[in-house]
Amino acid sequence: MKKTIQRGLFTGALVLMTAMTAKPANAAVNYQALVDADVKKFQGFFRKEFPDVKLEDFGNGVYALDEDARKQWKEMEEFPPYELDVEAGKALFNKPFANGKSLASCFPNGGAVRGMYPYFDEKRKEVVTLEMAINECRVANGEKPYAWKKGDIARVSAYIASISRGQKVDVKVKSKAAYDAYMKGKEMFYAKRGQLNMSCSGCHMEYAGRHLRAEIMSPALGHTTHFPVFRSKWGEIGTLHRRYAGCNENIGAKPFPAQSKEYRDLEFFQTVMSNGLKYNGPASRK
Amino acid sequence: MKSSGIIAAAAVLLLPSLGKAAAPAAVDSSVEKGKALALDTNKGNCIACHMMGDGEFPGNYGPPLSQMKERYPDRAVLRKQIEDATVMNPKSIMPPFGKHGILSDSEISQIIDYLYTL
Amino acid sequence: MKKVLSLLSMLVLTPSASLLLAEPAPAAPAASSSPLIEQAEAARKEADALGYEWRDTAKILDSAREALQRGDQAESDKLASKALFQARAGKAQGLYMAKNWKMMIPKN
């Protein structure tokens, strides 16, 4: 009897103490610290899995993991298939709109802004991607937006990526709203979906470097540093969200629209996971 | 007279082999169907992840599909693995071919018949 | 006489001929939906709301509607059932993943 009362009092005291010292919901949580811990764990997984690959080289995907694939890729890079797209992108970037302005008017640093995207816009409470910013510039100046997945949007993105090469990936997650978007992206990355019940992480973490039929699986680390890509399978240059949609279809899931909140949050999460790497787009891929 | 004798002899000789061919035909048909399903990219597509007999460019996500009779002496266990691999391992990358309606029950049976020849 | 007979026979035959040549009576308008299709569509919307609709579900449902338009009820029901199955499976997958996705994070 005594023990029960004692136990009850003890529990009660504990509860009271917790209630008195518990932080209110909106107290300053260090979201950046939480995210940094995630990044360390995520990158640690790949460093352990592929100890001979330098951190930076993960931006080269499969070519960082497989010697034969790298040889073929190096040969392709002597005459990069995306060069014409970069030139076309430069022209589009500087081409005057009807109102006299151009894409160049919207972007500082001569357009070398790849390192600024994606970012969480605290006022709008959403993730802003490079492609989104390109089209918002056009619309703000009375022009029609580009189609999202290929063509001119990819060319402009390729030009911006090419003059931004070497910029560090350093995406910040400072607020709760930003962290919520980050967590949505994280959930999408790890959850299995589609008729084939697969996740991004399923293939691109545990099975990175393995063969899926004749293809080698790329590591998720470095996934978003090198876009847009000239993909041999497409025979042209395309954006990250185009690839997201293709992957979703491959596993029997209905793709989300390009630049949907879902794909922007995923891009946000994936890019954060590559913090510390360098932007190295545009790139060629199989 | 002679020719009819030869024909009769030929017929007698052929009959046993015809008889032989008739019995295994039903089993082969299931094994053949199973192999086709295993190689079909819209069906089992097993070769995407598993080394499988003489199939070209097999993947290596999963273990090679060999000595299946030794590894899965209980047909029901193999069936369950194909139907829903997440029962044994919730993190499994192997698609739940039965649970998600990718393969029908009879298709899984045919694939198992094929797997047991490996 | 022959002429009269041939004229009479023509008079008799023509209406029968016109009956033969006439279009069949218009069928009742083909149904555009069925209870099973409605059920599958409702389920598809639920899977979609979770973000877990599968790739082919909508297409299969469209095929079910087309089959119904052609009057093939059996085929329509078969396809609608398949779409319903996929929609339910997608929803179940979504509900499970909402709770369990963190389990999928690899342990270093």
Side-chain angles (χ1 to χ4, degrees), chain B residues 57-74:
Chain B
F57 302 116
N60 64 350
Y61 269 42
L65 301 176
S66 59
Q67 298 170 304
M68 294 303 281
K69 272 231 152 91
E70 286 89 342
R71 290 172 53 213
Y72 287 94
D74 187 345

Side-chain angles (χ1 to χ4, degrees), chain C residues 34 36-37 59-84:
Chain C
S34 70
L36 200 49
I37 286 174
K59 199 165 54 172
I60 294 167
L61 206 37
D62 282 341
S63 300
R65 292 189 184 99
E66 282 164 25
L68 197 62
Q69 294 274 53
R70 326 186 275 268
D72 193 342
Q73 176 86 44
E75 180 68 7
S76 177
D77 282 351
K78 185 172 139 203
L79 290 164
S81 293
K82 188 173 176 187
L84 177 62

Side-chain angles (χ1 to χ4, degrees), chain A residues 1 25 55 59 74 85 117 122 127-128 154 171 179 186 188 217 221 254 265-266 271 285:
Chain A
M1 181 62 173
L55 180 65
K74 282 284 178 207
D85 293 311
Y117 299 91
E122 299 292 349
V127 173
V128 177
V171 182
Y179 187 69
K186 186 177 179 183
M188 162 132 335
M217 211 34 62
L221 178 56
K254 177 181 163 187
D265 288 348
L266 179 60
T271 312
R285 288 288 186 275

Side-chain angles (χ1 to χ4, degrees), chain B residues 15-39:
Chain B
L15 278 169
S17 49
L18 279 172
K20 262 197 187 138
V27 177
D28 279 345
S29 164
S30 179
V31 168
E32 276 161 17
K33 281 188 191 148
K35 183 175 181 180
L37 286 164
L39 289 168

Side-chain angles (χ1 to χ4, degrees), chain B:
Chain B
M1 276 287 266
K2 244 190 180 170
S3 56
S4 60
I6 293 169
I7 290 168
V12 168
L13 284 167
L14 275 170
L15 278 169
S17 49
L18 279 172
K20 262 197 187 138
V27 177
D28 279 345
S29 164
S30 179
V31 168
E32 276 161 17
K33 281 188 191 148
K35 183 175 181 180
L37 286 164
L39 289 168
D40 187 338
T41 52
N42 291 318
K43 288 284 179 180
N45 198 20
C46 316
I47 195 168
C49 298
H50 296 276
M51 196 154 80
M52 197 176 80
D54 55 4
E56 271 193 327
F57 302 116
N60 64 350
Y61 269 42
L65 301 176
S66 59
Q67 298 170 304
M68 294 303 281
K69 272 231 152 91
E70 286 89 342
R71 290 172 53 213
Y72 287 94
D74 187 345
R75 190 184 173 104
V77 172
L78 179 55
R79 169 165 280 273
K80 195 68 219 170
Q81 181 65 3
I82 297 171
E83 282 173 356
D84 186 2
T86 66
V87 170
M88 290 297 285
N89 171 17
K91 295 177 71 169
S92 180
I93 191 108
M94 182 160 161
F97 291 98
K99 182 181 170 196
H100 277 197
I102 304 166
L103 296 167
S104 69
D105 287 345
S106 58
E107 287 174 330
I108 291 175
S109 292
Q110 287 160 351
I111 286 177
I112 293 174
D113 286 342
Y114 165 63
L115 291 177
Y116 275 149
T117 68
L118 299 175

